[in-house]
Amino acid sequence: MNEEQLTAVLHEQGPALVVAGPGSGKTRVLTHRVAWLLSQDVRPDSIMLVTFTKKAAQEMISRVQQLSYRGAAVVAGTFHHIAYIFLRRYVSSLPDLYSKSFTIIDQGDQEKLFKLVIQSLIDQEDRRLIPKPKDFVRIVSYMHSTQMSLLDVVREEFPNYIRQMDRINSVVNGYKERKIQGNMMDFSDLLTYFLILLRDTSAGIEIKNQIDHVLVDEYQDVNALQEKIIRELSGTCKSLMVVGDDAQSIYSFRGGSAEFMLDFEDQYQSVTKYFLTKNYRSRPSILRLVNASIEYNEEQIEKQLESLRPEGDLPIVTVTSNSREQAAYVISKIQEYNESGIPFDEIAILYRARWNSLEFEKACVNSGIRYDIRGGIRFFERSHIKDVTALVTIFVNPREILQWNRILSMLSGVGEITASKIVQKIQSKSNPLTAFLTLGRNDFSSMSISSIAISSIISLQRLFTELAELDENHSGLTQINPMRFLSLCLEFLEPIHQMKFPDEDEFRERWNDVREFMSFSDRYDSLDNLLADILTMVNISTRTSKLDDKDRPIVLSTVHQAKGLEWQVVFVTWLNQGVFPHSMSLAEDNLEEERRLFYVACTRAKDFLHLTFSEYARSWQNSEGVSQFIEEIMDENVFQIFGNDIW
DNA sequence: CAACCTCTAATTTTT
DNA sequence: TTAGAGGTTG
Ligand SMILES: Nc1ncnc2c1ncn2[C@@H]1O[C@H](COP(=O)(O)OP(=O)(O)OP(=O)(O)O)[C@@H](O)[C@H]1O
């Protein structure tokens, strides 16, 4: 700890703001502050440590645990995770009728629910007049995160639907009703209900009594809703410390804005402000490059940042002719670095969009390098994995109709219609799972269900009965051991998936994922914790290739998920105009945010930074040339070029 | 009414 | 390169 850092760590009381550039030890200040508080005999569960992404949260938590053995009991994690924990404890205080077994729905399920609502409320021919399910999801989450009204969101983001407000209102209301009926919350609900809990209920008083010290990392990314939560807690806590860097604000798409940080001093009384001006992470050569780049942003405030590290190599820009070559180049460089003694897990490949990982994954597999991928196709959103989690969800929250639909229509002989008949029949019952298990011949014939369908449904009943029997000492279905639960599920699913994915290689690949999920579940002792963590805490990611398990994996990650992390060697890839910066962002006038994203990406590097670009992106996508982020700083002598000279 | 086939449109970022 | 929509068959 240097002196600047130490004074921040030892901050006594009231609100504190730490604004500082990358690698200056902001996260370190927070983690050491937690350790210091603990050493002062502050109760761990009175400390709340918050951040935005799952990965950054894990990193922060593990740093705290290294510093103090009492760290494990600190209330720490993403906003959503912390909200979930308190909601679990106090659901019954909510004004809407949720029960403790509520489950969280992800984006895909939100879309499905909107689809159901639209089908039931809007006539076929009117459906083209209103937003698509996907857009509804965006509208609703934007509404929550910016705390704007539905009308304002539509006016601002989807002005061409403004004349359909009545229909839009009824769909949004229907969506909310169905969520409550199904005991489901979406991600926005977690935060919104948490705020309600804090603000309007007696449970809120208890929570506020519990929490004395609040620490928020990456504060430049808070949105209006999260800001309200923090403000609500700040009224009663002893200290509040927020840290951030306006140049790293990259979540405007979910309402995040650095304004909340820049206004912090005006919004809170007697704010203590701390500055950290020494960069411990990156070589001066790397800082020169990012500083030259961020200069182009007019909105950024200037920060002093002095590198404490010795001079390093100039960052290297490499031009390749296509994306396969790009991947081959990166992988061969990685092997060189590894041979020179840098461990694989100190090397990362970063990119703008999730699909950008594809060629790198292939190249890793071909060369037998293990990799840990964050943001390819998301593991838990792959359809075969969702089939498994659907079964778990039904046992945790039997009212969750989306998962019933999913499981039922997966059975042979059962399609959309039969599935919805059954769901209709059981959903209004107090326990739909028991209702399902007691369906018999008479029920099936009264619903006129085909005999093939009946026999599959009976086999599902048998599975559910066996699963329920795993709850031997009747401590509740959610308490069943996940590993045992899943191994029965897998037996049931295997033949179904074999049919669904007739291509043998494809099946094998997907089934490997499923097995991986099962072994992942072993670290959990109950189904509800498993489910919640999937959505608010962890990502499964490591893909092992057959060779040397002793090697640590390299990291493939989107820039967003790399936030707050660092590696000795970083490759920032796909620097094509239209990809990074992304054309859709450019269309929305977000160039400066894209440049901040580039800034975040490059400042992850400690020692070596590579920027790569391939002339031809994809056959059907015309190449728009090299990213302007490289072109802009061409004449500044902040990098060296390898490969074809295309300028 | 489910299953199978064919064509098309879409591929930003996270919880 | 792939999911899902839409149309046809059985
Ligand atoms: N006083 C110090 N002595 C030694 N190492 C330090 C010191 N302060 C910070 N570091 C190291 O510098 C690196 C960056 O620190 P940290 O991740 O806390 O920075 P940050 O400001 O949160 O960065 P970012 O804004 O990029 O997330 C870490 O490896 C950390 O251990």
Side-chain angles (χ1 to χ4, degrees), chain A residues 178-191:
Chain A
R178 294 255 188 150
K179 269 187 312 191
I180 297 171
Q181 269 168 29
N183 206 19
M184 314 175 239
M185 290 195 195
D186 61 29
F187 287 118
S188 309
D189 290 330
L190 290 176
L191 301 185

Side-chain angles (χ1 to χ4, degrees), chain A residues 5 23-28 63 248 280-281 564 566 604:
Chain A
Q5 294 172 327
S24 57
K26 295 186 297 297
T27 306
R28 190 174 161 107
R63 286 201 209 172
Q248 297 187 59
Y280 286 87
R281 178 185 294 142
E566 58 187 17
R604 299 310 93 200

Side-chain angles (χ1 to χ4, degrees), chain A residues 359-600:
Chain A
E359 296 289 352
F360 298 115
E361 287 187 68
K362 279 190 216 155
C364 282
V365 171
N366 287 339
S367 48
I369 293 179
R370 293 184 70 213
Y371 61 98
D372 184 354
I373 181 161
R374 307 164 183 179
I377 304 159
R378 285 200 195 88
F379 187 86
F380 294 116
E381 284 171 25
R382 295 177 200 168
S383 76
H384 48 290
I385 296 296
K386 288 224 70 173
D387 288 342
V388 184
T389 54
L391 288 164
V392 180
T393 306
I394 287 175
F395 266 63
V396 173
N397 175 18
R399 274 153 61 197
E400 224 276 27
I401 50 164
L402 295 167
Q403 313 309 323
W404 276 108
N405 268 329
R406 179 178 196 105
I407 295 301
L408 289 167
S409 48
M410 181 172 86
L411 303 173
S412 81
V414 181
E416 207 184 328
I417 308 241
T418 310
S420 68
K421 275 185 200 162
I422 307 244
V423 168
Q424 279 283 278
K425 178 104 185 159
I426 64 173
Q427 72 171 343
S428 52
K429 301 289 165 53
S430 67
N431 187 342
L433 184 56
T434 338
F436 175 71
L437 290 178
T438 50
L439 290 180
R441 296 266 161 205
N442 303 338
D443 303 295
F444 295 135
S445 60
S446 75
M447 287 185 278
S448 53
I449 289 172
S450 75
S451 57
I452 319 163
I454 292 176
S455 70
S456 334
I457 291 168
I458 289 175
S459 72
L460 183 64
Q461 288 178 323
R462 208 162 1 177
L463 171 71
F464 281 179
T465 311
E466 282 176 45
L467 289 171
E469 280 163 6
L470 292 176
D471 178 29
E472 288 150 346
N473 33 13
H474 301 281
S475 38
L477 297 181
T478 56
Q479 300 307 307
I480 295 172
N481 175 278
M483 191 77 165
R484 296 176 64 199
F485 185 92
L486 288 181
S487 58
L488 282 182
C489 291
L490 261 54
E491 270 173 44
F492 180 81
L493 278 177
E494 190 164 3
I496 295 175
H497 275 179
Q498 248 158 354
M499 294 257 278
K500 192 164 157 191
F501 309 112
D503 182 277
E504 211 175 298
D505 288 342
E506 190 187 354
F507 168 75
R508 227 165 358 95
E509 214 172 283
R510 290 183 190 254
W511 200 247
N512 279 340
D513 285 346
V514 173
R515 302 185 100 101
E516 200 173 325
F517 180 46
M518 182 166 86
S519 45
F520 164 81
S521 76
D522 197 26
R523 71 182 83 162
Y524 290 89
D525 53 11
S526 72
L527 298 179
D528 48 357
N529 288 337
L530 169 66
L531 268 192
D533 267 19
I534 285 170
L535 288 146
T536 68
M537 271 296 273
V538 297
N539 282 320
I540 294 194
S541 44
T542 309
R543 283 297 190 82
T544 324
S545 64
K546 44 264 151 202
L547 301 165
D548 303 51
D549 255 23
K550 52 189 186 302
D551 283 338
R552 313 286 321 147
I554 64 166
V555 168
L556 309 194
S557 172
T558 58
V559 180
H560 282 86
Q561 293 194 71
K563 190 130 175 252
L565 309 179
E566 58 187 17
W567 296 271
Q568 276 182 42
V569 184
V570 169
F571 293 83
V572 181
T573 62
W574 281 98
L575 285 159
N576 291 58
Q577 187 70 7
V579 178
F580 197 172
H582 198 277
S583 51
M584 279 176 139
S585 256
L586 295 177
E588 291 168 15
D589 234 12
N590 276 338
L591 175 62
E592 296 217 343
E593 175 151 318
E594 292 286 304
R595 201 180 276 109
R596 289 193 290 270
L597 199 53
F598 180 65
Y599 183 84
V600 169

